[in-house]
Amino acid sequence: MHLLKKLYQYVLLYLRTKISRVQYIMIVATLTGLASGLTAVLLKTLVHYLQHWIKEITINKYAYLAFPVLGLLVTVMIVKLFFGGDIEKGIAMVLRAIAGKSSFIPLRHTYQHVVTSSFTVGLGGSAGLESPIVSTGSAIGSNMARISDLNYRERTLLIGCGAAAGIAAAFNAPVAGVIFAIEVLLTDAVVVSYFIPLIISSVVGALCSKIILQESSLFNFLLKENFDYHNTPFYVLLGVLAGFTSLYYARVFKGSERKLHHWKINLYGKAVIGGLMLVCLYFFFPPLFGEGYDVVKLVAGGNAEQLNDNNKLFALLTENWSLVIFAGLIVLLKPIAAAITIGSGGNGGNFAPSLFSGAFLGYFFSKLLNSTGWIKMPEGNFSLVGMAGVLSGVMYCPLSAIFLIAEITNGYELFIPLMLVSSISFFIVKSYEPFSMEIKQLALEGQVFTHKKEKNILTAISLDEMLQDQFDIIPVDKKLRDLVELIKRSEKNIFAVSDSKGRFAGIIELNDIKQKLFQPDLFDKTSIRSLVKKPAATLSNKQNMNEVMEKFDITQSWYLPVLDAEKKFIGFISKTKVFNKYREILASQGDLYE
């Protein structure tokens, strides 16, 4: 591995002497797309073969129910034995790395999500592979940038390239891959020149899946009916339904996952209990098993009657109404199944489950209308558009949802209803929740970038690098003469004062005592205690820069003291220094071609 790294760096070092910086980045983006695309293909292939293996060895129709427990146990065992007992999952990990870790993602993320999610999903966990693919592709991009000696801005771009290639390979949808990277990961500054490396990576990733994977493994559809503008009001209603379904999905998923996470039991015990809960759900609702893309193909392809509920729960109803109720229950239960899978130790994401829920929502809505006998809706089209609506509302990526469904249907026939449903769904969820469920807590804590550029820049600045700790401290029981001696040796015009226990007691500003400095007879008579004053505010060394700037704005101060957990003074923060750093970061976010 070390030899390969040295060889790679040697080749790139040679290239850097022969080509421009931009050309160099394009080459690294191409290699990132290739590595991420091949990794996505590998993960898809592993899961495909595991599920094929399950079908081959099962001796009766219920035997597959044993595998979800095994999948969760194997995943927990691998994480415990090889990855220190815990791994950082999901898109939130990538966003946290971009905002708070200078876009450095540890090397282990290039393989641990592939290994763990393949067992979780391949053996029947009700989650998706796209979040692990994005995490892995982003880690590949970050590490390729690191060994290629790229800066922070370029590392962030390469993270987007890796994610774009992963999504493109997973769905054979290069445009959706590019838009997903921009819409979800690169929420800060995106300039036109970023599109070229993103497009290159995404196309290379899509080619990997196109060339290697069989056509049956790719997630695509052929439309059976064209868009009829007379159905527009019903698509609007579907958009509203998708928005509230997305809110339901997010709140039920997070609530269920949180409860499982807080269970104070052995990890293996939690995996077994979670697996048994999945078994119960799968017994009554078999479509919840695994990723569910095979089932989505049936529903969106107009073959939903091939679905069965194992136990004929709705045998007393007509076929139409039994399918309507069955589809509605699937929509309600999918977030619970996904939460159980991930909360009990599995690795996966909500990308595929949201598409799954959307497909069944669209089918449920159109089948319900058709069952009345008054109108005739294209159930396949509504299922496809429903997928975009719920994906848009759950993942907060309306453009990605629109182009993903457009690409997997091999055209733009459904573009108008896709735009309607996705935008309405997104508008509804944003009205209730400003951040997606995956990053909500981190966004509120200021740990990830959002679409607010000024806050993103401040998030990228750490308090430690802004801290000025070369300030003198004078004890409160000293005299003015002692302060005068400090002033002679110092270039500062503000001093911190400590009490008898070494804790922060206040500050003394030079302007406040200027007159006394010209009265030597007061030097031994005036105590520091009489000169000290409280600052307009104090800061904790645990606060982020957004909170720091809020205090500067409120107090109108130019210097504020920073204290540790024991209330001891550790330095001052200067508003001027923060502004200078802000301008420096802003200036660095230019075009690649500059």
Side-chain angles (χ1 to χ4, degrees):
M1 188 72 177
H2 181 69
L3 182 62
L4 285 174
K5 175 183 173 183
K6 287 293 184 183
L7 179 62
Y8 173 82
Q9 290 178 319
Y10 176 79
V11 172
L12 288 187
L13 182 63
Y14 172 77
L15 287 173
R16 288 179 71 171
T17 64
K18 303 294 183 182
I19 60 179
S20 69
R21 180 77 172 180
V22 173
Q23 292 169 329
Y24 177 71
I25 292 173
M26 298 306 172
I27 290 173
V28 180
T30 303
L31 295 174
T32 299
L34 179 63
S36 300
L38 290 174
T39 304
V41 169
L42 172 64
L43 181 53
K44 283 282 188 181
T45 303
L46 285 173
V47 170
H48 174 77
Y49 277 111
L50 277 174
Q51 293 178 343
H52 180 72
W53 173 70
I54 290 174
K55 291 178 182 177
E56 288 290 318
I57 67 169
T58 49
I59 55 177
N60 64 61
K61 67 176 185 177
Y62 296 117
Y64 75 95
L65 294 173
F67 290 97
V69 179
L70 177 63
L72 290 175
L73 279 172
V74 171
T75 303
V76 169
M77 182 182 69
I78 291 172
V79 171
K80 192 170 180 63
L81 294 179
F82 300 105
F83 301 132
D86 186 40
I87 59 175
E88 206 174 356
K89 306 172 189 174
I91 295 169
M93 177 276 294
V94 180
L95 294 173
R96 188 189 285 112
I98 292 172
K101 299 180 181 178
S102 297
S103 289
F104 285 116
I105 300 177
L107 182 64
R108 63 180 180 273
H109 285 284
T110 60
Y111 55 83
Q112 64 182 12
H113 299 288
V114 174
V115 176
T116 53
S117 63
S118 62
F119 282 107
T120 298
V121 180
L123 294 176
S126 194
L129 296 174
E130 288 73 27
S131 285
I133 285 172
V134 168
S135 299
T136 303
S138 299
I140 289 171
S142 174
N143 283 276
M144 291 285 279
R146 180 175 57 81
I147 62 176
S148 303
D149 195 28
L150 299 182
N151 60 35
Y152 168 67
R153 179 168 61 105
E154 295 158 347
R155 282 194 304 275
T156 305
L157 172 59
L158 265 291
I159 284 176
C161 288
I167 291 293
F171 293 103
N172 188 30
V175 176
V178 172
I179 293 175
F180 179 85
I182 292 171
E183 195 172 29
V184 177
L185 299 183
L186 306 180
T187 56
D188 191 24
V190 178
V191 292
V192 174
S193 60
Y194 280 24
F195 280 89
I196 305 303
L198 285 169
I199 289 170
I200 291 171
S201 298
S202 192
V203 167
V204 171
L207 283 172
C208 289
S209 67
K210 191 75 171 177
I211 294 168
I212 300 171
L213 292 178
Q214 299 176 0
E215 191 69 26
S216 60
S217 300
L218 296 175
F219 190 55
N220 53 35
F221 301 88
L222 289 175
L223 293 180
K224 295 183 178 179
E225 298 184 58
N226 294 330
F227 168 61
D228 182 353
Y229 69 89
H230 292 99
N231 295 332
T232 299
F234 299 103
Y235 283 116
V236 171
L237 288 175
L238 178 60
V240 174
L241 195 58
F244 286 105
T245 299
S246 300
L247 284 171
Y248 166 83
Y249 185 105
R251 292 177 180 179
V252 169
F253 175 86
K254 292 307 291 184
S256 303
E257 185 193 31
R258 196 178 300 115
K259 288 179 180 178
L260 285 164
H261 181 73
H262 289 136
W263 276 5
K264 303 298 182 183
I265 60 174
N266 180 276
L267 291 175
Y268 294 106
K270 184 185 292 187
V272 170
I273 294 173
L276 292 175
M277 292 167 70
L278 288 177
V279 168
C280 293
L281 285 173
Y282 296 165
F283 181 76
F284 295 104
F285 300 94
L288 295 173
F289 184 90
E291 268 188 303
Y293 283 144
D294 289 340
V295 177
V296 170
K297 285 183 178 180
L298 288 177
V299 172
N303 300 307
E305 65 278 355
Q306 296 180 29
L307 299 176
N308 68 86
D309 62 7
N310 271 340
N311 296 279
K312 308 299 179 188
L313 292 176
F314 312 109
L316 297 177
L317 301 172
T318 63
E319 182 181 1
N320 273 350
W321 285 106
S322 65
L323 283 172
V324 168
I325 296 172
F326 188 68
L329 290 173
I330 289 287
V331 173
L332 297 177
L333 292 172
K334 186 61 177 181
I336 298 174
I340 292 171
T341 301
I342 298 171
S344 54
N347 190 4
N350 287 289
F351 202 103
S354 62
L355 287 172
F356 181 94
S357 295
F360 272 89
L361 177 69
Y363 176 77
F364 164 80
F365 180 66
S366 56
K367 190 71 174 177
L368 180 63
L369 292 174
N370 290 340
S371 296
T372 63
W374 300 334
I375 47 181
K376 178 63 178 175
M377 293 290 110
E379 294 167 4
N381 288 6
F382 271 77
S383 296
L384 290 165
V385 174
M387 289 165 64
V390 177
L391 176 62
S392 170
V394 171
M395 303 299 294
Y396 283 47
C397 58
L399 291 175
S400 303
I402 292 166
F403 282 96
L404 175 63
I405 304 303
E407 286 188 282
I408 65 176
T409 54
N410 300 297
Y412 294 89
E413 179 63 35
L414 292 179
F415 214 63
I416 292 174
L418 285 171
M419 293 173 71
L420 273 175
V421 173
S422 295
S423 58
I424 291 171
S425 174
F426 182 66
F427 172 76
I428 289 172
V429 295
K430 283 287 283 186
S431 299
Y432 287 89
E433 294 286 355
F435 304 109
S436 71
M437 64 178 182
E438 295 208 9
I439 69 164
K440 179 179 178 180
Q441 191 58 39
L442 297 177
L444 293 176
E445 293 171 1
Q447 293 190 47
V448 297
F449 288 163
T450 66
H451 290 280
K452 296 182 179 179
K453 184 181 179 68
E454 70 284 353
K455 287 194 173 183
N456 295 344
I457 294 177
L458 289 174
T459 300
I461 303 173
S462 72
L463 187 144
D464 288 339
E465 67 177 317
M466 291 293 101
L467 185 65
Q468 299 181 19
D469 55 2
Q470 301 300 315
F471 279 86
D472 292 305
I473 305 175
I474 186 168
V476 73
D477 55 1
K478 294 290 185 177
K479 298 295 184 180
L480 177 57
R481 183 176 296 280
D482 300 299
L483 179 60
V484 171
E485 294 302 318
L486 274 183
I487 294 171
K488 289 178 183 179
R489 303 192 304 266
S490 175
E491 297 179 353
K492 310 297 183 183
N493 60 6
I494 185 170
F495 300 89
V497 180
S498 62
D499 64 14
S500 59
K501 295 182 180 179
R503 294 174 302 191
F504 179 74
I507 60 171
I508 296 176
E509 291 187 273
L510 203 55
N511 285 336
D512 294 339
I513 62 168
K514 190 180 295 182
Q515 291 182 351
K516 290 183 171 62
L517 296 179
F518 296 97
Q519 301 178 48
D521 57 312
L522 297 178
F523 286 3
D524 294 317
K525 298 177 181 177
T526 307
S527 68
I528 295 298
R529 190 183 303 277
S530 66
L531 302 176
V532 68
K533 69 174 184 179
K534 287 186 176 182
T538 59
L539 301 169
S540 163
N541 61 340
K542 301 296 183 183
Q543 288 182 290
N544 60 55
M545 290 307 298
N546 281 297
E547 294 170 329
V548 170
M549 289 308 296
E550 283 178 9
K551 285 204 174 182
F552 273 125
D553 289 341
I554 293 170
T555 62
Q556 295 296 303
S557 300
W558 286 93
Y559 283 91
L560 287 176
V562 181
L563 313 181
D564 63 15
E566 298 176 351
K567 302 300 182 184
K568 292 184 178 180
F569 173 79
I570 56 177
F572 282 101
I573 289 285
S574 163
K575 186 192 287 188
T576 302
K577 188 174 181 180
V578 175
F579 281 163
N580 289 338
K581 183 66 175 179
Y582 185 98
R583 284 193 290 268
E584 179 187 326
I585 294 174
L586 196 62
S588 72
Q589 295 179 344
D591 196 288
L592 286 176
Y593 297 108
E594 292 178 351

